[in-house]
Amino acid sequence: MEALQFLFSVESWRMAVFWTLSLIFSYLHLLFRGIFQKSQSYPRRSLHPSSEQPICIITGATSGLGAAAAKYLSREGYYVVLVGRSSHLLSKTIQEIKQQQEDVHLKALQVDLSSFQSMLSFKSSLEQWLLDTNLHPSVQLLINNAGILATSCRFTAEGYDQMVETNYIGAFALTNLLLPMLKNSSTPSRIVNVTSFTHRCVSQIEVDEETLSGKYLKCFSKSGRYPFARTYEYSKLCLLLFSYELHRQLFLMDPSHHISVIYCRYPQFRAADPGAVKTAIMREVPRHVSQLAFTVLKSLGILQSPENGVDSIIDAALAPREASGQYFFGGKGRTMKSSPLSYDAKLAEKLWASSCELLREAQLTMQESTKAS
């Protein structure tokens, strides 16, 4: 009965129809570009020679794409910091990777991206770990991979929608917290934001503080039910807008961005869209419905395993520095354009301002709580 109710809901049909069409459109667009235009792709580059071992931080690394990325990049010579909410699952993932290759360097740190306090604790733990292990206090690669698809309305301790905070606000906050360490790298550092083809389903959005926090998300649905599909699309589009805005601020607005030293001081930004991948992100969807969705996607030939779906993320992570600001999709180093709305500079500026204000309010709330205790 639960599966039937879910299957015939508006949000379920939105996922089935709009998401599938968006994914097919992305592949067709990639195909036509390859036939009629010179498709732009970037080769993967090996690590820059450096006396310091490169540090890579991957959020949502307990399974799926995060675990697959950790496995690949650890073999590339990165000291990979796996980040997730469950210490047990983090330890299990590290054990599985080391069973296949013992000499890799891995570290597990807990963080809940729906909690500002947890992110601050994570930063302190990371800095202390780097100090204790005599590693350089810098980060060379940050992959914002963590994401959830919540089918029910839940709010965090800060009062924000949990899905929006985990998928976007958490990535925004963590990136800003780690920015000094990324700038401290002696080699060009990178930030890869893992987004989704579902962002193409959004035709217009509001990015003021109240909408961003999720307080009025229920208003998006005429039925009054939680619009989880639209909320997920919203969070992924916000992540893209943030990626492009940060790229504009650090590169395009700096008249000396062509000087090589600038690439060391300021991290490069890329967006990666892995497409449809069979991961645990559908765990809140009724099992029979998720199995049906995977079966349909597999019959269409567009469902990937995490080991294959991670290609676009690795492409973005290891692409040369001129790939900053690109949207990677389809593997083989290929890039394409995201939705026209994602390139709206005024919308991105407004989103940036709203996000900064939410971050400031959260910091003030934590300070007041600390004083009160």
Side-chain angles (χ1 to χ4, degrees), residues 24 41 85 102 105 221 251 257 259 317 336 339 370:
I24 293 173
S41 61
R85 289 181 293 178
E102 293 184 3
H105 295 87
S221 174
F251 285 90
H257 71 275
I259 302 175
M336 63 185 298
S339 71
T370 302

Side-chain angles (χ1 to χ4, degrees), residues 114-171:
S114 65
S115 167
F116 286 110
Q117 185 61 57
S118 179
M119 284 184 275
L120 287 173
S121 298
F122 163 75
K123 183 186 178 185
S124 298
S125 299
L126 177 65
E127 291 173 334
Q128 188 61 51
W129 170 70
L130 291 171
L131 183 65
D132 293 342
T133 50
N134 292 319
L135 290 169
H136 191 269
S138 63
V139 174
Q140 283 64 49
L141 176 60
L142 169 63
I143 300 180
N144 288 312
N145 167 72
I148 61 171
L149 175 62
T151 58
S152 60
C153 185
R154 299 191 294 268
F155 288 94
T156 65
E158 286 85 13
Y160 306 145
D161 177 85
Q162 187 183 33
M163 182 152 53
V164 176
E165 183 160 8
T166 301
N167 295 359
Y168 166 65
I169 301 175

